[in-house]
Every structure is written in structure tokens, then in C-alpha cells.
Amino acid sequence: MLIIGAGFGGLAAVRALRRAPVEVVLLDRRNFHLFQPLLYQVATGGLSPGEIAYPIRSVLRRQKNAQVLLAEASRIDLERQEVHLTQVPGEAAASALTYDFLILAPGATHSYFGHPQWAQLAPGLKDLEDALEIRSRILLAFEHAERETNLEKRSALLTFAIVGAGPTGVELAGAIADIARRVLREDFRSIDPRETVIVLLEGGDRVLPAFPPRLSAKAAAALAGMGVDVRTGARVTNITPEGVEVGGTFIAARTALWAAGVAASPLAQSLGVPLDATGRVPVKTDLSLAQHTNVFIIGDLARLDQLPGLAPVALQQGRAAAANIVRTLAGKPRRSFHYLDKGNLATIGRASAVADIRGLQLSGLLAWLVWIFVHILYLIGFRNRLLVSMEWAWDYLSPQQAARLITGRPRL
Amino acid sequence: MLIIGAGFGGLAAVRALRRAPVEVVLLDRRNFHLFQPLLYQVATGGLSPGEIAYPIRSVLRRQKNAQVLLAEASRIDLERQEVHLTQVPGEAAASALTYDFLILAPGATHSYFGHPQWAQLAPGLKDLEDALEIRSRILLAFEHAERETNLEKRSALLTFAIVGAGPTGVELAGAIADIARRVLREDFRSIDPRETVIVLLEGGDRVLPAFPPRLSAKAAAALAGMGVDVRTGARVTNITPEGVEVGGTFIAARTALWAAGVAASPLAQSLGVPLDATGRVPVKTDLSLAQHTNVFIIGDLARLDQLPGLAPVALQQGRAAAANIVRTLAGKPRRSFHYLDKGNLATIGRASAVADIRGLQLSGLLAWLVWIFVHILYLIGFRNRLLVSMEWAWDYLSPQQAARLITGRPRL
């Protein structure tokens, strides 16, 4: 039994199989599980990478029927039931693994809607390296502004354009506003970080389109209150190193961030089955493939009903796929997957969020407390829960953030 | 007044000038102060980068006579009293800063004794990126060993060669032994990490040559007890991707680490003054340059008596240089620098260290407790002290380490 991807879905599937009479091999190209919902906090200096990432081997240390393999799947051969791996330096040849059951949970990547050249100019937020790159760009913009004497250039350095006002875009905008107005307030001598301009660009007609309109309005008002310039109906037509073009208008912004589109993992293309427009694989209600019922697709790669690409969906699908495998092995019929929607949360800034919990619509501090509670609850491992609570408590009490490091090889 | 370098020396100088009637500009190419004595713990997964690095702007936030500039000095013109900066992308031209007084504290880098091609094969440990690179190499070696079926190759993957048995080499050897025998013990299914071989190669006749011979012997015995293969009188003659050659013997080790030589910052070469064999600048007893008494050299770049390149030396020199500038401005005579040697510490592994405190020689658990106490005391910022104490307490109680992430762009 092979599971590809140790995100929320893949890891949930492995854990759900801990008492099943199977040997599970979990494949991931990274050695850690990433708590993606908090990735924006790494990108904005609130948390360190180690606080939202947890070694997969540690999570599964005591699960003796699970083996972890650090490897990248390059291609899947459904007919021969084989997964081909990317060759490792020093290996004689690329190897392959065979499977009886396969759970595919490789996640998603960015989509620049046919403009791949924008990727360098406006990085998206999917993995830890993205987060550290974005953190460096944000902090370097302030550093360069401190050195810049030309006022026009300085103001472009202090302008941040965020493309896309889904949860990630809203979270990034709120966090950058917080850095500029609170965290960095006393840090500079030539510039005043409070002069920072944050432009949040949304192609649709409101922010957080997955939420009820009332909460979108609350979120937009909260963002405006933090000084974020929210522009809806604003479709980006070009991105250059100097800024972002929206229709006929050019916004001079030396830092642009991408939070607009996702595309399913390119691994799906090797399956040879029809994909939808964003590269997802349509699955049956039991989460398996129509022609290959021993192959399950879960999480961001699966297309089923109108389910969104959220952690709880992946998590529940991982458990459901595992349960269907166990039933199949026991000669029992499979069950259809039904998503239990516990609610939808998005944080806006310090002490502000929106929550839509089965029709109950919350906003402001109360929604933020719900958000804090849920995220700490779901963070894998008591140790990380403790560290993150401390960081947040500290951050709430003090304006300093220690995770504010510009790393990567020095680039000035 | 210009200070180059925000290490122990440079930062101590800035802080010592907080009540002086001067405007201080502190230049560093990184935006954080790095607590280098704990860097080996980042390299071996015990600590996260954010726990030993602190934003310089945060440290100096309230010191209103200090301005921080994120910039790299490319060249110093002693005659024109100018420091030239590396050009920033987007800048019209490289800029320069003039100074009345200059304190030079740029630190040191690795020296591969005329074999620059070894740098890629056996990384040294000077900055955060080095530490994360070493961490990735160590952890990837275990991961690749888990995938490797050829026993000879597997054993080369599980062999670590460390060149140089000064404090850094000893600390790395001890920490890798601890990872292999304790932290990773239950994590793998195909390999047994306890079969790891750690070879510590020292060209001289004993480990920790800066310590009294009795403590060197204690350290060597402690390392042997942890399973480290200590070889003295072992001069490395070649390093290849497959291993390390010592005289006629070849040690098959897929991971080699360099802890043998340091060289002063290459910035000194632009001074046009005579340098010693390791690139250091001889200074007068007041820490200034013979022909340019308004220029002070401190820390790893300064050559004065036989002072070692240690944090306490740099720290005391930073304060002394600052005090001499204040005296000069007040028309008072300068004072000679005298190093107050508070002792010498090196940790060997979990609950083991050696300490030479003004003739008092300690080893084992007691020395380790002294080491823990001193390092937490000196870590800048209460917040980091708290986090690091928690990590260590946790690490002591539990075999798991959360900072065990392989980061950087995925390389398999």
C-alpha cells in the first residue's frame, strides 16, 4: 500500500491505517509535514519554519506498519501499478515502487493563468521556501527604502501589491499592515514604516468570495481600518519588477505577492485520465478512480462535487479513503464520501478574523479567538502547540517579532 | 562614526556608545546578530535559526543615536576615509559612506588551506545558511541510506567525517552521535541509525588543542564513549564526493564537514596594510591601526598578542574600542586593551562538556551545566533565552527534535 504526499490528507490516511493489516509506505519529497494554514505567518515573520513543520518520521515513529520514504514520484503507471521515482544523485538508476492500493495526495501548486514569467516577480505561498522568500522580500523592501534617497523610488519600495483576496491574500495584507504599523514602527531612522501602502487586488467583486457576503463586507471594512487599499474588480494585466498593471492603471510596487490561483500537482498528468481545467482528477464518490478502483485521489488533486481545497476536506478524505481500503480488504462494500463542513475561518490581522460556522457568522475579536483555538488544536504535536501559543502570546503583548530574519544566501 | 559588522564585537561597540555624543552607523550585510557559539545546534537540528539570531534593529530600537544599515562593505579607502558599498539592484550607482571614526569587525570565514574546491564537498560552519546546509546533508544521508540497498554504499552514507577537532569539530561530532544513537533511533525501518560511524580527524596530536592536555584527554574519552572514532595526527590530503583521504588511507564517507581552518574577512585586503598569514590585521595595544589611529580593528580580524578568535575577546574589544573613541573625543589618552579571560568552554555531547575557568578544570555534567548557564546568559534577548531553555529542557526529556527540517529547494 502506497501513499504519496504527507500533507493533511496523506498523513490522515496513514494514521487511519495504523491498526489495519497492511504495510504502508508513505512517500514525500520533503521530510516534514507542513501546517500550511499558518504558512503566511512564516512569510510575515511571526513564526519560524520549525514551528509549523514537523518531521514525518517523528509523527509516525511508533506506527510500526508505516515506512516513510523521502523520494519524489515522477510518474505513475496505472496499468503496471508502479510509481516511478526521481533519481537520487549516486543512485545507479531511477527506481520504481509497485503497489496494490495507491492513495494519491500530492497537493497543489501555484497557477499564474498562463503567465509563468510572473512567478519570479510575484511569488506565491505554498511551501516553506516560498514563505522565507516572501519574508525576505518584505523585509528587504523596508531595508532598501531606508537606504533610498529618491522619494519616488522609496515610495515604490514601501508599496506592496497582493494579487488575490482569498484567505491567503487577506492574511498577507493584514500581516504586512501589522508589521508596518506596529512591529517595525521604531526600527528605522530615515523612513517611517507607517507610510507603507498595501494594495489588495481582487478580480471578483468582493474579498473572501468563499464566505457569505456579509462577512466579506466585514473583512473589507477591517482591512480598510488597518490601512489596506482594497480594490475589487481589479484584474491584473501585467507584472514587472517595478509594479503591477491593473487594466490601464500602473501601481508602482517593488514587492508583489501572488495569492490568486492554484493548480493541481502536475503528477496527475502522468495518469493518462481526463483532468478538469485546474488539473484536478475527477473521482467517484468513494474517492477512487473510475477505471482503477485500487487508486484513490484525495485533497487538492481530487475533484468531487464543489469541494474547496481546504485542510479539513483533505483530512476527512484521507480517513475516508483509508476506511474504504480496509472495507475492501474485508470484503465489505465501500462508502461514499460526505464532507462534514465544520466551518470556514479566515484571519484578517491582529485580533480580527471572520468565521462562518454552519450559518453562524462571527467577525472581529471573537472570530479571531475561535481561529486561534482551532489552529492550535490542529497543529500536530504538543510541542509545536506550546511553542506557537508562546509566540502568539508574546506577539500579542510585545511589538517585537524574532522570526524576522532575512535568510538565504545574502542578496542585497 | 561607522561600525562594520554586527557580531559580538561590533554590537558591543555600538551599545557601549549609547550615551556618547556621537551618531553611530552600524553596517551589516545581514539583518540579524547571530549567536555563533550555538550555530552547531542549528546544524544538527537542536535549534531553529530564529532561536539564535536576533534582528539588529530590534536590539538597537531604543538607541536613538544608532542607525542600522543593511549593506555590504566592498572596499575601504583609508586615505579618503570612505567605505564603499556593494551596489543594490535598482540603485543608480554604488554608494560610499564617509567616517570620522571607523570600527572594523567583519569577522572571519573558512580557510581550506589552498584547496578551495573542498568547500563544496565539506562545508564549514560560519553562518545560518552553512548550518542549514549541514543539517540537510546530515539528515539526507540517513534518508538516502534508508533507500539504499547496496550495503557498501549504505555504510558510506552512514559515515560522517569531520575535519578538525577544535570546539566546532568536537561539538559537531558529539551532536551527530547523539542524533544517530538517540534522536533517530526509532525513525527508520531499513537502517539502524546506531550503526552510524563518526570519524573525527585532527591534524595535531590531541583534540581541543586550546585546552589543557588533561581536558583534551577527558574530551577524547567522552567522544570515544559516544562511539566517535577520534584520530589525531590525521592530516587530510584529499576530499572527494565519496570520502576523505588521510595520508594513504581512504575513508568512505558521503558526508564530510569542515571545522579546521579560519581566515580573516577578505575586506581587510582593501586596507593596503600588511596582514598576517591568516589575513588578520596587526593592531596597536589600543586596537587602532598604526598609521590611521581613527580606525579600530576588533574581533576575528584583529591580531593582538596571541588572542584567540572567541566571542568574549570580540565583545571586550568592542567595548574597549568604543571607550577609546570616547576618550579621544574628550581629549583624554587612550588605554591599552587587556583581555580578561573568564574561561574556556566546549560542549561534547548531551550532558558532557569541558571547562577551563582560570585554572579550574571541569569536565562531564558539571562542565555542561556551566556551559548551559553561560550560553543562556549571553543569548541576546529574554525571549530567545526562554525559547532556547524550553528547547533544551524538552530535548533533555524527550528524544525528539522538531528543528529537524531539511529545507532549501528540494534536492533529492
Side-chain angles (χ1 to χ4, degrees):
Chain A
M1 152 109 48
L2 189 60
I3 299 180
I4 297 180
F8 287 102
L11 208 50
V14 179
R15 296 173 106 178
L17 290 164
R18 64 187 176 280
R19 291 195 194 86
V22 292
E23 291 290 319
V24 184
V25 174
L26 174 62
L27 207 72
D28 200 291
R29 53 183 180 163
R30 306 310 299 263
N31 77 329
F32 51 83
H33 168 76
L34 183 65
F35 195 82
Q36 268 189 353
L38 290 181
L39 199 53
Y40 82 95
Q41 293 227 358
V42 174
T44 51
L47 292 175
S48 287
E51 288 164 336
I52 64 157
Y54 208 75
I56 303 165
R57 294 193 187 282
S58 288
V59 179
L60 298 174
R61 196 164 34 110
R62 305 222 185 270
Q63 186 172 335
K64 295 300 179 195
N65 74 340
Q67 174 165 24
V68 179
L69 221 54
L70 184 77
E72 183 174 47
S74 60
R75 181 164 68 81
I76 294 159
D77 187 330
L78 290 175
E79 298 309 323
R80 305 176 67 164
Q81 308 204 153
E82 277 180 359
V83 172
H84 293 260
L85 307 180
T86 306
Q87 198 169 339
V88 165
E91 243 181 6
S95 48
L97 298 169
T98 56
Y99 59 83
D100 45 1
F101 287 98
L102 174 68
I103 300 181
L104 258 180
T109 179
H110 312 294
S111 164
Y112 285 88
F113 306 134
H115 299 278
Q117 73 280 15
W118 293 355
Q120 273 300 310
L121 301 168
L125 188 61
K126 272 289 167 203
D127 62 22
L128 273 183
E129 285 71 25
D130 291 338
L132 294 176
E133 171 69 24
I134 289 176
R135 182 200 285 183
S136 289
R137 289 193 188 203
I138 294 171
L139 295 172
L140 281 174
F142 289 103
E143 296 290 343
H144 290 168
E146 175 85 348
R147 278 181 68 174
E148 183 61 65
T149 48
N150 178 307
L151 289 183
E152 201 177 317
K153 286 185 179 174
R154 181 185 281 186
S155 124
L157 281 165
L158 291 177
T159 302
F160 297 82
I162 299 160
V163 185
T168 302
V170 167
E171 282 159 356
L172 284 173
I176 296 173
D178 188 47
I179 291 178
R181 317 240 188 280
R182 192 174 60 95
V183 180
L184 297 182
R185 210 178 51 203
E186 295 186 276
D187 275 12
F188 293 90
R189 301 292 179 259
S190 303
I191 58 165
D192 182 350
R194 284 172 295 185
E195 289 168 10
T196 302
V197 174
I198 299 146
V199 189
L200 181 61
L201 301 163
E202 167 61 38
D205 63 348
R206 57 189 176 100
V207 305
L208 297 177
F211 283 76
R214 198 176 73 86
L215 289 182
S216 292
K218 289 264 186 193
L223 285 166
M226 302 172 78
V228 175
D229 177 359
V230 181
R231 303 192 192 174
T232 52
R235 261 176 217 288
V236 169
T237 44
N238 198 17
I239 302 181
T240 74
E242 277 72 43
V244 174
E245 193 182 278
V246 180
T249 333
F250 185 78
I251 302 164
R254 286 283 294 276
T255 310
L257 305 176
W258 189 259
V262 289
S265 162
L267 189 60
Q269 290 157 18
S270 72
L271 290 172
V273 300
L275 308 176
D276 77 358
T278 61
R280 291 181 301 173
V281 183
V283 292
K284 295 192 299 176
T285 59
D286 69 351
L287 299 172
S288 75
L289 275 183
Q291 308 299 322
H292 300 270
T293 55
N294 62 332
V295 176
F296 292 79
I297 319 259
I298 60 173
D300 288 351
L301 186 58
R303 181 189 182 127
L304 178 66
D305 306 330
Q306 299 295 321
L307 289 176
L310 294 174
V313 175
L315 221 140
Q316 293 178 29
Q317 287 183 338
R319 290 187 195 134
N324 273 339
I325 289 174
V326 170
R327 280 193 201 95
T328 306
L329 289 171
K332 296 181 192 163
R334 295 181 179 183
R335 290 195 187 147
S336 289
F337 173 73
H338 293 289
Y339 175 52
L340 174 64
D341 186 355
K342 294 182 185 168
N344 209 352
L345 288 163
T347 180
I348 298 162
R350 197 160 156 271
S352 181
V354 289
D356 175 25
I357 304 160
R358 304 168 150 217
L360 175 68
Q361 296 177 14
L362 303 175
S363 59
L365 181 64
L366 185 59
W368 187 72
L369 291 173
V370 171
W371 180 89
I372 287 261
F373 176 76
V374 169
H375 282 77
I376 291 188
L377 196 72
Y378 273 92
L379 259 185
I380 286 182
F382 164 74
R383 188 179 163 291
N384 278 22
R385 275 206 287 277
L386 198 69
L387 282 177
V388 171
S389 326
M390 274 192 43
E391 292 271 6
W392 285 347
W394 193 271
D395 183 49
Y396 196 81
L397 299 170
S398 131
Q400 292 307 300
Q401 290 179 304
R404 228 166 61 216
L405 310 178
I406 301 173
T407 50
R409 284 289 153 197
R411 291 162 314 143
L412 281 173
Chain B
M1 149 112 43
L2 189 59
I3 299 180
I4 297 180
F8 287 102
L11 209 50
V14 179
R15 295 172 107 177
L17 290 164
R18 64 188 176 280
R19 291 194 194 89
V22 292
E23 291 290 320
V24 184
V25 174
L26 173 62
L27 206 73
D28 200 292
R29 53 186 180 161
R30 307 310 298 264
N31 78 328
F32 50 83
H33 168 76
L34 184 65
F35 194 81
Q36 268 189 353
L38 290 181
L39 199 53
Y40 81 96
Q41 294 226 357
V42 174
T44 51
L47 292 176
S48 286
E51 288 164 335
I52 64 157
Y54 208 77
I56 303 166
R57 293 193 187 281
S58 287
V59 180
L60 298 174
R61 195 165 35 110
R62 304 221 185 271
Q63 186 172 334
K64 295 300 179 197
N65 73 341
Q67 174 164 23
V68 179
L69 220 54
L70 184 76
E72 183 174 47
S74 60
R75 181 165 68 80
I76 294 160
D77 187 331
L78 290 175
E79 297 310 323
R80 304 176 69 164
Q81 307 204 155
E82 277 180 359
V83 172
H84 292 260
L85 306 180
T86 306
Q87 199 169 340
V88 166
E91 242 182 7
S95 49
L97 298 169
T98 55
Y99 60 83
D100 46 0
F101 287 97
L102 174 67
I103 300 181
L104 257 180
T109 180
H110 311 294
S111 165
Y112 285 88
F113 306 134
H115 300 277
Q117 73 280 16
W118 292 355
Q120 274 300 311
L121 302 167
L125 187 61
K126 272 289 167 201
D127 62 24
L128 273 184
E129 285 72 24
D130 291 338
L132 294 176
E133 171 69 25
I134 289 176
R135 183 200 285 182
S136 290
R137 290 193 187 203
I138 294 170
L139 295 173
L140 281 174
F142 289 102
E143 296 291 343
H144 290 167
E146 174 85 346
R147 279 181 68 174
E148 182 61 65
T149 48
N150 177 307
L151 289 182
E152 202 177 317
K153 285 185 181 176
R154 181 185 281 185
S155 123
L157 281 164
L158 291 178
T159 303
F160 297 82
I162 298 160
V163 186
T168 303
V170 166
E171 282 160 356
L172 283 173
I176 296 173
D178 187 47
I179 291 177
R181 318 242 186 281
R182 193 174 60 95
V183 179
L184 298 181
R185 210 178 49 203
E186 295 186 275
D187 276 12
F188 293 90
R189 300 292 179 260
S190 304
I191 58 166
D192 182 350
R194 284 171 294 185
E195 289 168 11
T196 302
V197 174
I198 300 146
V199 189
L200 181 60
L201 301 163
E202 167 61 38
D205 63 348
R206 60 191 175 99
V207 306
L208 298 177
F211 282 77
R214 199 176 73 87
L215 289 182
S216 292
K218 289 264 185 194
L223 285 165
M226 302 172 77
V228 175
D229 178 0
V230 180
R231 303 192 192 173
T232 51
R235 261 177 216 289
V236 169
T237 44
N238 198 16
I239 303 181
T240 74
E242 276 73 42
V244 174
E245 193 183 279
V246 180
T249 332
F250 186 77
I251 302 164
R254 286 284 294 275
T255 310
L257 305 176
W258 188 259
V262 290
S265 163
L267 189 60
Q269 289 156 19
S270 73
L271 290 172
V273 300
L275 308 176
D276 77 358
T278 60
R280 291 181 302 173
V281 183
V283 292
K284 295 191 298 176
T285 58
D286 69 351
L287 299 172
S288 74
L289 274 183
Q291 307 298 322
H292 299 271
T293 55
N294 62 331
V295 176
F296 292 78
I297 318 260
I298 60 173
D300 288 350
L301 186 59
R303 180 186 181 129
L304 180 66
D305 307 330
Q306 299 295 324
L307 289 176
L310 294 174
V313 175
L315 221 140
Q316 293 178 27
Q317 287 182 339
R319 289 187 196 133
N324 273 338
I325 289 174
V326 170
R327 280 192 201 97
T328 305
L329 289 171
K332 295 180 192 163
R334 295 180 179 184
R335 291 196 187 148
S336 289
F337 173 72
H338 292 288
Y339 175 52
L340 174 64
D341 186 355
K342 293 181 186 168
N344 209 353
L345 288 164
T347 180
I348 297 161
R350 197 159 156 270
S352 181
V354 289
D356 174 26
I357 304 161
R358 302 170 151 218
L360 176 68
Q361 296 178 13
L362 302 175
S363 60
L365 181 65
L366 185 59
W368 188 71
L369 291 174
V370 171
W371 181 88
I372 288 262
F373 176 76
V374 168
H375 282 77
I376 291 188
L377 196 72
Y378 273 93
L379 260 184
I380 287 182
F382 165 74
R383 188 180 162 292
N384 278 22
R385 275 206 286 276
L386 198 68
L387 282 177
V388 171
S389 327
M390 275 191 44
E391 291 271 5
W392 285 347
W394 193 272
D395 183 49
Y396 197 79
L397 298 170
S398 133
Q400 292 306 301
Q401 290 180 306
R404 229 166 60 216
L405 310 177
I406 301 174
T407 51
R409 284 290 152 196
R411 290 163 312 145
L412 282 171

